[in-house]
Structure formats: C-alpha cells, structure tokens
Amino acid sequence: MRHARVYAMVVAMWALMIAGGGIAVNVLGPIHAQDESGEAAVSAAKAAAAVGLVVAWVWALSRIKSAIFSPRRA
C-alpha cells in the first residue's frame, strides 16, 4: 500500500507538468507584440507568467504531497 502513495504522487506531478506545458504553449505562446519596442515587455510578461506557473505548481505539489503522505492517512 505504501507504493500506491508514491505512484499517486508521481501521477500528480506528471499531470501538473503536462497541464503547465499546455498552458504555456496554448496561452502564453500566441501572445505577440505589435511593434519592435513592445517585444521586451511581452517577453518579460511571458517570463513572469512562466515563473508564476512554476511557483503555483510547486505549491500545489507541496499540498498534494502533504495530503498523500500525512500520518493521518496511514
């Protein structure tokens, strides 16, 4: 039964990685600047959004890990 918890954590981690990649490609990818001067701002906004997604995913994985491996569930 202990192995099932590890597998659940791995599945949750992969699901979050695939979802994050989909968000990055489908939402952030198509954003473009209209002029040459706006390219830096758009790039900075995309980078900030990507970093925000990483922070959100690490927080979510931390919560999932705590829920799966908490001593109360044993």
Side-chain angles (χ1 to χ4, degrees):
M1 189 56 140
R2 183 79 172 155
H3 296 290
R5 292 179 179 181
V6 173
Y7 293 138
M9 180 67 187
V10 170
V11 168
M13 179 180 60
W14 273 98
L16 283 174
M17 287 191 314
I18 291 170
I23 290 170
V25 169
N26 292 322
V27 176
L28 298 178
I31 299 172
H32 294 289
Q34 297 296 331
D35 58 353
E36 196 72 26
S37 63
E39 288 183 17
V42 170
S43 293
K46 285 182 180 183
V51 170
L53 279 173
V54 168
V55 169
W57 272 205
V58 168
W59 178 82
L61 276 175
S62 173
R63 301 287 299 201
I64 291 168
K65 179 209 48 103
S66 295
I68 290 174
F69 295 110
S70 68
R72 291 178 283 144
R73 288 194 58 165

